[in-house]
Amino acid sequence: MTDELDAAVRDLADIPAVEVISRACVMLMSSAAEKLGLADENPDASPRRDLDEARRVITALAGLVSASVEYLGPHAGPIREGLQSLQRAFREASAHPDEPGKGPGEKYTGPVY
């Protein structure tokens, strides 16, 4: 087991930081999309829809993006656009949408309309 763990750590050491951050962003985006029900034909009827969980994941994504934007280079634009799309989708899915600036992650990104 220790040899496998050592190999995994060595593998991570060989991956550039921007790729690790980008992969983490993609994983958080995918999770948020699932929790918003966006993977289903009818998001409103999705059995996986969980707006409380989606809020948490979107906020974590916003924090990561805001903290690492200077390192993302050409990846920054598409990742930010993806984040804003999720923030808008959250607002649309909410029965009582948050005020601009109060939605998930907006304390890090600013208001999303």
Side-chain angles (χ1 to χ4, degrees):
M1 181 76 168
T2 304
D3 290 338
E4 290 175 19
L5 184 57
D6 289 342
V9 170
R10 278 193 298 273
D11 289 345
L12 281 176
D14 295 335
I15 300 172
V18 67
E19 190 171 332
V20 173
I21 295 166
S22 297
R23 285 183 186 184
C25 288
V26 169
M27 182 181 291
L28 290 168
M29 286 180 183
S30 297
S31 175
E34 286 286 340
K35 292 175 187 320
L36 288 169
L38 299 177
D40 293 322
E41 210 170 295
N42 182 0
D44 294 331
S46 173
R48 290 184 291 276
R49 185 177 235 180
D50 186 336
L51 295 183
D52 186 46
E53 286 286 305
R55 177 184 294 277
R56 294 173 190 192
V57 176
I58 293 169
T59 299
L61 174 61
L64 176 59
V65 171
S66 295
S68 59
V69 71
E70 68 183 286
Y71 307 116
L72 293 173
H75 303 280
I79 290 172
R80 282 178 142 168
E81 289 172 16
L83 170 58
Q84 289 176 352
S85 292
L86 290 166
Q87 288 171 311
R88 282 190 208 97
F90 182 91
R91 181 161 309 209
E92 290 174 15
S94 298
H96 303 285
D98 299 314
E99 296 175 33
K102 303 286 186 186
E106 292 183 17
K107 70 179 181 181
Y108 301 112
T109 64
V112 175
Y113 301 94

XYZ file of all heavy atoms in Angstrom:
840
model
N 0.836 -1.192 0.000
C 0.000 0.000 0.000
C 0.877 1.250 0.000
O 0.554 2.215 -0.680
C -0.920 -0.054 1.233
C -1.843 1.092 1.327
S -3.177 0.864 0.155
C -4.279 2.088 0.685
N 1.957 1.244 0.725
C 2.840 2.407 0.796
C 3.480 2.682 -0.554
O 3.622 3.835 -0.945
C 3.927 2.207 1.874
O 3.284 1.928 3.113
C 4.786 3.427 2.020
N 3.842 1.635 -1.291
C 4.431 1.825 -2.615
C 3.439 2.481 -3.573
O 3.807 3.356 -4.354
C 4.892 0.486 -3.195
C 6.098 -0.081 -2.453
O 6.819 0.715 -1.806
O 6.313 -1.307 -2.525
N 2.167 2.077 -3.488
C 1.130 2.677 -4.332
C 0.942 4.149 -3.989
O 0.794 4.992 -4.865
C -0.185 1.933 -4.168
C -0.181 0.546 -4.756
C -1.476 -0.199 -4.460
O -2.486 0.453 -4.135
O -1.462 -1.432 -4.552
N 0.937 4.466 -2.693
C 0.782 5.846 -2.247
C 1.969 6.686 -2.694
O 1.801 7.799 -3.187
C 0.626 5.902 -0.730
C 0.370 7.261 -0.111
C -0.890 7.896 -0.707
C 0.226 7.154 1.387
N 3.172 6.142 -2.555
C 4.372 6.858 -3.002
C 4.311 7.136 -4.502
O 4.680 8.220 -4.953
C 5.637 6.060 -2.665
C 5.942 6.044 -1.177
O 5.398 6.896 -0.436
O 6.732 5.172 -0.755
N 3.837 6.157 -5.273
C 3.729 6.335 -6.720
C 2.714 7.426 -7.053
O 2.940 8.247 -7.942
C 3.337 5.024 -7.388
N 1.589 7.448 -6.335
C 0.565 8.472 -6.574
C 1.103 9.857 -6.240
O 0.854 10.823 -6.968
C -0.681 8.175 -5.754
N 1.842 9.977 -5.164
C 2.420 11.264 -4.781
C 3.443 11.698 -5.820
O 3.479 12.857 -6.227
C 3.038 11.196 -3.362
C 3.853 12.439 -3.066
C 1.942 11.015 -2.332
N 4.262 10.780 -6.288
C 5.241 11.122 -7.330
C 4.527 11.565 -8.600
O 4.957 12.503 -9.253
C 6.151 9.924 -7.609
C 7.297 9.784 -6.633
C 8.324 8.798 -7.153
N 7.761 7.455 -7.300
C 7.718 6.545 -6.343
N 8.203 6.813 -5.160
N 7.189 5.352 -6.565
N 3.434 10.893 -8.942
C 2.683 11.291 -10.129
C 2.161 12.714 -9.989
O 2.229 13.502 -10.924
C 1.511 10.337 -10.372
C 1.975 8.961 -10.850
O 3.144 8.828 -11.265
O 1.160 8.031 -10.788
N 1.632 13.057 -8.838
C 1.137 14.424 -8.614
C 2.269 15.440 -8.677
O 2.072 16.565 -9.134
C 0.426 14.521 -7.259
C -0.986 13.984 -7.222
C -1.541 14.036 -5.802
C -1.891 14.751 -8.153
N 3.435 15.051 -8.219
C 4.572 15.967 -8.240
C 4.979 16.314 -9.665
O 5.555 17.378 -9.908
C 5.750 15.364 -7.483
N 4.678 15.442 -10.606
C 5.051 15.670 -11.993
C 4.036 16.517 -12.759
O 4.295 16.938 -13.878
C 5.215 14.328 -12.721
C 6.375 13.510 -12.157
O 7.303 14.111 -11.580
O 6.332 12.271 -12.295
N 2.869 16.759 -12.180
C 1.810 17.509 -12.858
C 1.956 18.989 -12.516
O 2.035 19.359 -11.343
C 0.422 17.005 -12.421
C 0.262 15.525 -12.769
C -0.676 17.822 -13.092
C -0.997 14.901 -12.206
N 1.984 19.866 -13.516
C 2.084 21.304 -13.251
C 0.895 21.793 -12.412
O -0.230 21.306 -12.552
C 2.052 21.941 -14.641
C 2.378 20.844 -15.599
C 1.943 19.572 -14.956
N 1.148 22.772 -11.567
C 0.124 23.312 -10.668
C -1.120 23.777 -11.425
O -2.247 23.543 -10.981
C 0.697 24.457 -9.835
N -0.937 24.429 -12.567
C -2.090 24.929 -13.323
C -2.999 23.779 -13.742
O -4.226 23.917 -13.760
C -1.650 25.782 -14.539
C -0.946 24.946 -15.589
C -2.846 26.506 -15.141
N -2.428 22.632 -14.028
C -3.247 21.479 -14.415
C -3.992 20.907 -13.212
O -5.164 20.533 -13.323
C -2.377 20.396 -15.064
C -3.196 19.309 -15.694
C -2.370 18.339 -16.519
O -1.320 18.730 -17.056
O -2.808 17.182 -16.613
N -3.343 20.869 -12.061
C -4.018 20.392 -10.848
C -5.182 21.308 -10.505
O -6.293 20.848 -10.227
C -3.027 20.306 -9.658
C -3.757 19.971 -8.370
C -1.937 19.280 -9.940
N -4.949 22.613 -10.566
C -6.005 23.585 -10.251
C -7.140 23.476 -11.270
O -8.318 23.456 -10.903
C -5.433 25.019 -10.214
C -4.432 25.155 -9.069
C -6.552 26.053 -10.075
C -3.570 26.407 -9.145
N -6.795 23.382 -12.540
C -7.813 23.267 -13.585
C -8.648 22.008 -13.413
O -9.873 22.037 -13.560
C -7.166 23.273 -14.981
O -6.522 24.491 -15.213
N -7.998 20.898 -13.097
C -8.737 19.644 -12.889
C -9.678 19.763 -11.689
O -10.807 19.270 -11.736
C -7.769 18.483 -12.652
C -7.076 18.007 -13.898
C -6.210 16.810 -13.583
N -5.418 16.393 -14.721
C -4.644 15.331 -14.726
N -4.533 14.588 -13.637
N -3.948 15.012 -15.794
N -9.207 20.415 -10.631
C -10.062 20.609 -9.459
C -11.272 21.469 -9.829
O -12.394 21.186 -9.403
C -9.273 21.245 -8.317
N -11.054 22.501 -10.634
C -12.162 23.355 -11.071
C -13.170 22.562 -11.886
O -14.391 22.695 -11.680
C -11.643 24.536 -11.895
S -10.775 25.793 -10.936
N -12.692 21.740 -12.796
C -13.588 20.943 -13.631
C -14.387 19.968 -12.760
O -15.590 19.780 -12.967
C -12.805 20.205 -14.739
C -13.662 19.172 -15.433
C -12.259 21.213 -15.742
N -13.742 19.376 -11.765
C -14.449 18.452 -10.879
C -15.535 19.188 -10.095
O -16.673 18.704 -9.983
C -13.487 17.782 -9.901
C -14.175 16.780 -8.985
S -13.077 15.996 -7.812
C -12.105 14.995 -8.904
N -15.227 20.375 -9.583
C -16.223 21.157 -8.856
C -17.352 21.608 -9.775
O -18.523 21.589 -9.384
C -15.556 22.361 -8.176
C -14.631 22.023 -7.004
C -13.802 23.236 -6.610
C -15.424 21.510 -5.830
N -17.025 21.986 -11.008
C -18.061 22.385 -11.964
C -18.992 21.216 -12.267
O -20.217 21.395 -12.321
C -17.425 22.878 -13.271
C -16.804 24.225 -13.194
S -16.112 24.633 -14.816
C -15.387 26.201 -14.443
N -18.417 20.051 -12.475
C -19.231 18.865 -12.768
C -20.144 18.530 -11.599
O -21.325 18.215 -11.785
C -18.326 17.672 -13.085
O -17.580 17.924 -14.244
N -19.603 18.617 -10.395
C -20.401 18.335 -9.206
C -21.552 19.330 -9.087
O -22.698 18.944 -8.824
C -19.517 18.393 -7.957
O -20.286 18.228 -6.796
N -21.260 20.603 -9.283
C -22.309 21.631 -9.189
C -23.388 21.402 -10.242
O -24.588 21.516 -9.945
C -21.694 23.022 -9.347
N -22.982 21.076 -11.451
C -23.963 20.834 -12.520
C -24.866 19.656 -12.163
O -26.087 19.724 -12.361
C -23.242 20.579 -13.842
N -24.290 18.600 -11.626
C -25.094 17.442 -11.199
C -26.066 17.842 -10.097
O -27.234 17.475 -10.122
C -24.187 16.313 -10.696
C -23.459 15.578 -11.780
C -24.337 14.639 -12.584
O -25.428 14.246 -12.105
O -23.929 14.298 -13.694
N -25.580 18.618 -9.125
C -26.417 19.004 -7.983
C -27.493 20.018 -8.378
O -28.493 20.156 -7.697
C -25.546 19.509 -6.845
C -24.717 18.366 -6.245
C -23.748 18.827 -5.205
C -22.831 17.735 -4.732
N -23.354 16.426 -4.534
N -27.293 20.701 -9.512
C -28.323 21.591 -10.051
C -29.302 20.829 -10.940
O -30.294 21.394 -11.394
C -27.683 22.728 -10.849
C -26.959 23.791 -10.027
C -26.152 24.705 -10.936
C -27.938 24.583 -9.185
N -29.002 19.562 -11.204
C -29.875 18.745 -12.048
C -29.650 18.955 -13.528
O -30.438 18.492 -14.347
N -28.561 19.629 -13.890
C -28.341 19.986 -15.287
C -27.998 18.795 -16.180
O -28.072 18.903 -17.399
C -27.241 21.051 -15.393
C -27.539 22.371 -14.679
C -26.360 23.313 -14.793
C -28.802 23.005 -15.213
N -27.641 17.676 -15.585
C -27.321 16.492 -16.382
C -28.586 15.772 -16.849
O -28.525 14.917 -17.727
C -26.443 15.542 -15.579
N -29.711 16.117 -16.266
C -30.971 15.461 -16.610
C -31.739 16.269 -17.651
O -31.557 17.483 -17.757
C -31.835 15.276 -15.357
C -31.214 14.291 -14.392
O -30.641 13.293 -14.856
O -31.297 14.530 -13.180
N -32.597 15.570 -18.373
C -33.406 16.214 -19.400
C -34.277 17.319 -18.804
O -34.457 18.380 -19.389
C -34.283 15.157 -20.081
C -34.592 15.481 -21.502
C -35.245 14.324 -22.207
O -34.586 13.282 -22.371
O -36.419 14.480 -22.577
N -34.834 17.057 -17.639
C -35.666 18.037 -16.946
C -35.031 18.330 -15.580
O -35.285 17.617 -14.615
C -37.088 17.503 -16.765
C -37.995 18.506 -16.087
O -37.578 19.611 -15.734
N -39.233 18.118 -15.893
N -34.197 19.368 -15.497
C -33.510 19.665 -14.234
C -34.460 19.850 -13.051
O -34.130 19.477 -11.925
C -32.746 20.957 -14.525
C -32.550 20.959 -16.000
C -33.788 20.289 -16.555
N -35.650 20.406 -13.303
C -36.598 20.643 -12.212
C -37.080 19.355 -11.566
O -37.460 19.351 -10.400
C -37.806 21.443 -12.713
C -37.420 22.851 -13.124
O -36.458 23.399 -12.562
O -38.080 23.402 -14.031
N -37.065 18.270 -12.314
C -37.536 16.983 -11.794
C -36.389 16.028 -11.466
O -36.628 14.866 -11.174
C -38.458 16.331 -12.816
N -35.168 16.523 -11.501
C -34.008 15.660 -11.270
C -33.988 15.124 -9.842
O -34.108 15.897 -8.884
C -32.715 16.431 -11.521
O -31.602 15.650 -11.139
N -33.808 13.808 -9.681
C -33.705 13.248 -8.338
C -32.384 13.622 -7.658
O -32.255 13.518 -6.448
C -33.792 11.732 -8.565
C -33.360 11.531 -9.974
C -33.759 12.779 -10.718
N -31.425 14.090 -8.450
C -30.119 14.479 -7.884
C -30.052 15.958 -7.509
O -29.061 16.413 -6.949
C -29.015 14.138 -8.878
C -28.801 12.648 -9.028
C -27.639 12.352 -9.943
N -27.908 12.704 -11.331
C -28.552 11.924 -12.200
N -28.994 10.758 -11.817
N -28.745 12.308 -13.432
N -31.081 16.695 -7.824
C -31.055 18.130 -7.543
C -31.007 18.382 -6.044
O -31.820 17.875 -5.275
C -32.285 18.809 -8.125
C -32.235 20.319 -7.948
C -33.416 20.958 -8.591
N -32.916 21.947 -9.524
C -33.663 22.696 -10.269
N -34.951 22.542 -10.277
N -33.135 23.587 -11.053
N -30.023 19.183 -5.634
C -29.847 19.543 -4.230
C -29.207 20.928 -4.204
O -27.985 21.062 -4.318
C -28.965 18.508 -3.521
C -28.849 18.745 -2.022
O -29.033 19.902 -1.573
O -28.562 17.774 -1.313
N -30.034 21.956 -4.086
C -29.536 23.327 -4.182
C -28.630 23.713 -3.017
O -27.707 24.513 -3.197
C -30.702 24.310 -4.311
C -31.529 24.173 -5.586
C -32.606 25.244 -5.630
C -30.664 24.230 -6.835
N -28.852 23.144 -1.838
C -27.971 23.433 -0.711
C -26.560 22.930 -1.009
O -25.575 23.636 -0.792
C -28.523 22.791 0.569
C -27.725 23.194 1.794
O -27.430 24.402 1.961
O -27.369 22.297 2.593
N -26.467 21.716 -1.517
C -25.161 21.149 -1.885
C -24.552 21.930 -3.053
O -23.353 22.191 -3.072
C -25.310 19.676 -2.260
C -25.535 18.767 -1.067
C -24.274 18.556 -0.255
O -23.253 18.140 -0.825
O -24.319 18.817 0.961
N -25.374 22.302 -4.029
C -24.880 23.072 -5.174
C -24.291 24.399 -4.712
O -23.235 24.816 -5.190
C -26.004 23.313 -6.179
N -24.945 25.054 -3.765
C -24.439 26.324 -3.231
C -23.035 26.149 -2.652
O -22.136 26.943 -2.899
C -25.385 26.855 -2.159
C -24.901 28.151 -1.495
C -25.823 28.582 -0.360
N -27.135 28.959 -0.825
C -27.454 30.164 -1.322
N -26.540 31.100 -1.422
N -28.684 30.412 -1.698
N -22.845 25.085 -1.906
C -21.541 24.838 -1.277
C -20.454 24.603 -2.311
O -19.345 25.136 -2.206
C -21.640 23.636 -0.353
C -22.542 23.886 0.828
C -22.767 22.643 1.623
N -23.826 22.876 2.617
C -24.090 22.076 3.598
N -23.415 20.953 3.753
N -25.044 22.363 4.449
N -20.766 23.796 -3.315
C -19.766 23.480 -4.334
C -19.447 24.716 -5.178
O -18.282 24.984 -5.487
C -20.238 22.303 -5.215
C -19.250 22.037 -6.330
C -20.420 21.048 -4.379
N -20.462 25.488 -5.540
C -20.236 26.701 -6.332
C -19.413 27.709 -5.537
O -18.514 28.351 -6.081
C -21.577 27.309 -6.798
C -22.261 26.369 -7.794
C -21.359 28.687 -7.425
C -23.704 26.733 -8.111
N -19.678 27.839 -4.251
C -18.903 28.755 -3.421
C -17.449 28.304 -3.337
O -16.525 29.129 -3.428
C -19.529 28.886 -2.018
O -20.856 29.410 -2.175
C -18.722 29.797 -1.119
N -17.221 27.002 -3.171
C -15.852 26.476 -3.135
C -15.147 26.737 -4.462
O -13.970 27.140 -4.490
C -15.870 24.984 -2.815
N -15.846 26.527 -5.560
C -15.284 26.787 -6.883
C -14.916 28.256 -7.034
O -13.825 28.592 -7.505
C -16.277 26.372 -7.965
C -15.906 26.715 -9.404
C -14.617 26.026 -9.820
C -17.062 26.345 -10.331
N -15.808 29.139 -6.610
C -15.547 30.586 -6.709
C -14.312 30.976 -5.899
O -13.495 31.775 -6.356
C -16.764 31.378 -6.238
N -14.181 30.403 -4.718
C -12.998 30.694 -3.894
C -11.722 30.224 -4.567
O -10.711 30.945 -4.588
N -11.751 29.020 -5.127
C -10.573 28.481 -5.807
C -10.227 29.325 -7.028
O -9.061 29.682 -7.238
C -10.821 27.025 -6.218
C -9.714 26.349 -7.024
C -8.398 26.334 -6.260
C -10.138 24.935 -7.413
N -11.214 29.659 -7.814
C -10.969 30.456 -9.022
C -10.421 31.833 -8.648
O -9.433 32.293 -9.221
C -12.255 30.589 -9.875
C -12.072 31.594 -11.003
C -12.651 29.227 -10.430
N -11.026 32.474 -7.665
C -10.565 33.804 -7.258
C -9.141 33.774 -6.711
O -8.352 34.664 -6.991
C -11.506 34.392 -6.199
O -12.775 34.598 -6.754
N -8.822 32.741 -5.956
C -7.496 32.641 -5.353
C -6.414 32.265 -6.352
O -5.243 32.568 -6.137
C -7.521 31.617 -4.216
N -6.793 31.627 -7.451
C -5.784 31.113 -8.369
C -5.846 31.703 -9.770
O -5.104 31.275 -10.648
C -5.909 29.589 -8.458
O -7.189 29.214 -8.899
N -6.674 32.699 -9.983
C -6.878 33.240 -11.333
C -5.569 33.692 -11.974
O -5.362 33.503 -13.178
C -7.943 34.356 -11.344
C -7.437 35.626 -10.676
C -8.431 34.617 -12.745
N -4.659 34.229 -11.211
C -3.402 34.720 -11.792
C -2.523 33.595 -12.326
O -1.648 33.827 -13.153
C -2.619 35.545 -10.772
C -2.085 34.730 -9.602
C -1.374 35.581 -8.571
O -0.251 36.030 -8.837
O -1.976 35.774 -7.494
N -2.759 32.377 -11.878
C -1.955 31.238 -12.308
C -2.596 30.456 -13.450
O -1.952 29.590 -14.041
C -1.718 30.273 -11.141
C -1.160 30.938 -9.928
C -1.884 30.989 -8.751
C 0.100 31.538 -9.951
C -1.374 31.614 -7.629
C 0.615 32.173 -8.835
C -0.126 32.210 -7.678
O 0.374 32.831 -6.570
N -3.856 30.718 -13.739
C -4.591 29.906 -14.708
C -4.309 30.261 -16.161
O -4.639 29.487 -17.054
C -6.091 29.989 -14.426
C -6.541 29.345 -13.125
C -8.013 29.632 -12.871
C -6.276 27.853 -13.142
N -3.719 31.411 -16.404
C -3.370 31.803 -17.769
C -4.561 31.719 -18.698
O -5.646 32.209 -18.387
N -4.406 31.041 -19.848
C -5.486 30.979 -20.827
C -6.698 30.162 -20.348
O -7.763 30.242 -20.934
C -4.844 30.317 -22.053
C -3.659 29.594 -21.526
C -3.198 30.362 -20.322
N -6.523 29.395 -19.277
C -7.642 28.615 -18.731
C -8.601 29.495 -17.924
O -9.736 29.105 -17.679
C -7.127 27.498 -17.813
C -6.178 26.561 -18.474
N -6.581 25.540 -19.281
C -4.817 26.521 -18.449
C -5.524 24.888 -19.731
N -4.442 25.464 -19.238
N -8.150 30.671 -17.483
C -8.942 31.521 -16.589
C -10.280 31.917 -17.205
O -11.316 31.835 -16.538
C -8.149 32.761 -16.193
N -10.284 32.359 -18.440
C -11.512 32.824 -19.082
C -12.597 31.758 -19.130
O -13.712 31.973 -18.635
N -12.299 30.592 -19.699
C -13.336 29.545 -19.759
C -13.796 29.069 -18.384
O -14.982 28.786 -18.193
C -12.656 28.407 -20.529
C -11.569 29.061 -21.306
C -11.125 30.233 -20.482
N -12.879 29.010 -17.436
C -13.265 28.570 -16.089
C -14.178 29.610 -15.447
O -15.192 29.265 -14.839
C -12.025 28.272 -15.221
C -11.344 26.999 -15.742
C -12.399 28.131 -13.756
C -10.013 26.686 -15.098
N -13.847 30.885 -15.595
C -14.711 31.943 -15.047
C -16.090 31.932 -15.700
O -17.103 32.114 -15.036
C -14.061 33.311 -15.244
C -12.977 33.605 -14.254
C -12.397 34.950 -14.581
N -12.089 35.659 -13.366
C -11.379 36.755 -13.316
N -10.916 37.302 -14.423
N -11.124 37.345 -12.166
N -16.124 31.722 -17.005
C -17.408 31.654 -17.709
C -18.244 30.485 -17.215
O -19.457 30.614 -17.025
C -17.179 31.542 -19.213
C -16.657 32.816 -19.847
C -16.252 32.628 -21.297
O -16.635 31.604 -21.916
O -15.545 33.509 -21.819
N -17.596 29.350 -16.997
C -18.298 28.187 -16.462
C -18.866 28.452 -15.083
O -20.009 28.086 -14.781
N -18.067 29.104 -14.242
C -18.514 29.466 -12.898
C -19.723 30.388 -12.966
O -20.733 30.166 -12.291
C -17.372 30.129 -12.122
C -17.734 30.785 -10.795
C -18.361 29.797 -9.827
C -16.496 31.444 -10.189
N -19.663 31.407 -13.803
C -20.789 32.342 -13.921
C -22.038 31.646 -14.450
O -23.152 31.942 -14.003
C -20.410 33.519 -14.822
C -19.422 34.454 -14.165
C -18.964 35.562 -15.093
O -19.268 35.575 -16.286
N -18.208 36.504 -14.549
N -21.859 30.714 -15.354
C -23.015 29.955 -15.866
C -23.669 29.154 -14.750
O -24.896 29.086 -14.657
C -22.578 29.007 -16.986
O -22.176 29.738 -18.117
N -22.866 28.557 -13.896
C -23.410 27.797 -12.769
C -24.103 28.726 -11.773
O -25.155 28.385 -11.231
C -22.298 27.004 -12.080
C -21.744 25.837 -12.892
C -20.435 25.336 -12.290
C -22.765 24.719 -12.989
N -23.517 29.893 -11.544
C -24.145 30.850 -10.633
C -25.498 31.300 -11.184
O -26.471 31.415 -10.436
C -23.217 32.049 -10.406
C -22.008 31.690 -9.544
C -20.982 32.806 -9.489
O -20.585 33.357 -10.523
N -20.530 33.134 -8.295
N -25.569 31.538 -12.494
C -26.844 31.926 -13.104
C -27.854 30.783 -13.044
O -29.032 31.000 -12.768
C -26.628 32.353 -14.553
C -26.063 33.743 -14.685
C -26.089 34.203 -16.148
N -25.020 35.138 -16.351
C -23.819 34.842 -16.861
N -23.536 33.634 -17.261
N -22.906 35.774 -16.987
N -27.383 29.569 -13.310
C -28.271 28.399 -13.258
C -28.816 28.206 -11.847
O -29.984 27.856 -11.664
C -27.530 27.145 -13.720
N -27.989 28.469 -10.847
C -28.443 28.366 -9.459
C -29.548 29.380 -9.205
O -30.585 29.063 -8.624
C -27.284 28.596 -8.491
C -27.690 28.446 -7.058
C -27.586 27.223 -6.419
C -28.189 29.522 -6.329
C -27.973 27.071 -5.099
C -28.581 29.384 -5.016
C -28.472 28.150 -4.395
N -29.335 30.608 -9.653
C -30.334 31.665 -9.463
C -31.644 31.284 -10.131
O -32.719 31.456 -9.563
C -29.810 32.979 -10.027
C -30.788 34.127 -9.846
C -30.087 35.411 -9.987
N -28.971 35.247 -9.078
C -28.340 36.174 -8.412
N -28.636 37.335 -8.569
N -27.370 35.952 -7.586
N -31.581 30.749 -11.345
C -32.791 30.351 -12.075
C -33.502 29.188 -11.392
O -34.731 29.104 -11.431
C -32.443 29.966 -13.510
C -32.041 31.141 -14.359
C -31.553 30.735 -15.742
O -31.787 29.570 -16.149
O -30.942 31.577 -16.415
N -32.743 28.299 -10.763
C -33.328 27.116 -10.127
C -33.945 27.425 -8.763
O -34.771 26.665 -8.270
C -32.256 26.029 -9.955
N -33.557 28.539 -8.175
C -34.019 28.883 -6.827
C -35.451 29.405 -6.834
O -35.800 30.267 -7.647
C -33.111 29.952 -6.214
O -31.801 29.462 -6.084
N -36.249 28.897 -5.924
C -37.625 29.379 -5.782
C -37.637 30.835 -5.325
O -38.493 31.614 -5.729
C -38.384 28.505 -4.788
N -36.685 31.180 -4.475
C -36.524 32.555 -3.981
C -35.071 32.959 -4.223
O -34.228 32.780 -3.338
C -36.866 32.651 -2.485
C -38.246 32.184 -2.172
N -39.359 32.935 -2.471
C -38.705 31.044 -1.613
C -40.440 32.279 -2.102
N -40.071 31.115 -1.588
N -34.769 33.479 -5.423
C -33.381 33.806 -5.758
C -32.749 34.791 -4.776
O -33.411 35.688 -4.266
C -33.486 34.423 -7.151
C -34.777 33.937 -7.697
C -35.686 33.770 -6.507
N -31.468 34.583 -4.523
C -30.700 35.496 -3.673
C -30.586 36.851 -4.361
O -30.622 36.947 -5.587
C -29.282 34.951 -3.456
C -29.265 33.609 -2.757
O -29.980 33.454 -1.756
O -28.511 32.720 -3.208
N -30.405 37.888 -3.557
C -30.143 39.214 -4.109
C -28.806 39.171 -4.837
O -27.921 38.410 -4.458
C -30.027 40.244 -2.980
C -31.263 40.463 -2.162
C -30.984 41.418 -1.009
O -30.152 42.334 -1.163
O -31.595 41.229 0.043
N -28.639 39.999 -5.880
C -27.325 40.068 -6.534
C -26.239 40.368 -5.500
O -26.396 41.237 -4.645
C -27.476 41.209 -7.532
C -28.939 41.206 -7.848
C -29.620 40.839 -6.540
N -25.176 39.603 -5.561
C -24.076 39.738 -4.610
C -24.185 38.799 -3.427
O -23.245 38.650 -2.662
N -25.344 38.149 -3.258
C -25.569 37.251 -2.118
C -25.649 35.786 -2.538
O -25.808 34.908 -1.700
C -26.867 37.621 -1.385
C -26.918 39.035 -0.888
C -26.032 39.212 0.301
C -26.243 40.633 0.847
N -25.334 40.950 1.906
N -25.571 35.516 -3.845
C -25.663 34.145 -4.340
C -24.398 33.365 -4.045
O -23.417 33.899 -3.513
N -24.387 32.087 -4.407
C -23.230 31.249 -4.111
C -21.961 31.758 -4.787
O -21.942 32.001 -5.986
C -23.630 29.875 -4.640
C -24.738 30.101 -5.583
C -25.410 31.359 -5.153
N -20.943 31.973 -3.977
C -19.647 32.407 -4.468
C -19.531 33.865 -4.829
O -18.456 34.349 -5.151
N -20.637 34.601 -4.754
C -20.611 36.001 -5.195
C -19.815 36.902 -4.263
O -19.413 37.990 -4.676
C -22.029 36.519 -5.430
C -22.688 35.863 -6.624
C -24.061 36.397 -6.933
O -24.436 37.481 -6.460
O -24.793 35.700 -7.668
N -19.549 36.457 -3.058
C -18.683 37.268 -2.195
C -17.249 37.244 -2.720
O -16.457 38.111 -2.395
C -18.752 36.830 -0.738
C -18.131 35.504 -0.418
C -18.260 35.208 1.062
C -17.640 33.898 1.455
N -17.800 33.643 2.892
N -16.921 36.248 -3.560
C -15.593 36.154 -4.157
C -15.563 36.729 -5.567
O -14.540 37.256 -6.007
C -15.124 34.698 -4.219
C -15.069 34.036 -2.868
C -15.947 33.020 -2.536
C -14.148 34.447 -1.913
C -15.912 32.420 -1.295
C -14.109 33.853 -0.664
C -14.993 32.833 -0.355
O -14.955 32.252 0.872
N -16.669 36.612 -6.297
C -16.677 36.995 -7.710
C -17.355 38.323 -7.989
O -17.227 38.870 -9.075
C -17.409 35.933 -8.560
O -18.787 35.883 -8.159
C -16.774 34.574 -8.414
N -18.123 38.806 -7.021
C -18.972 39.955 -7.270
C -20.314 39.488 -7.780
O -20.507 38.304 -8.069
N -21.275 40.397 -7.893
C -22.633 40.025 -8.310
C -22.658 39.423 -9.715
O -21.924 39.845 -10.595
C -23.403 41.337 -8.299
C -22.595 42.285 -7.502
C -21.165 41.824 -7.593
N -23.514 38.426 -9.869
C -23.740 37.800 -11.172
C -25.222 37.983 -11.473
O -26.076 37.627 -10.672
C -23.371 36.305 -11.136
C -23.725 35.639 -12.461
C -21.887 36.139 -10.841
N -25.520 38.559 -12.624
C -26.902 38.831 -12.995
C -27.371 37.868 -14.050
O -26.686 37.356 -14.826
C -27.057 40.265 -13.509
C -26.648 41.286 -12.483
C -25.364 41.811 -12.455
C -27.541 41.690 -11.506
C -24.986 42.732 -11.512
C -27.161 42.631 -10.566
C -25.894 43.149 -10.563
O -25.517 44.060 -9.621
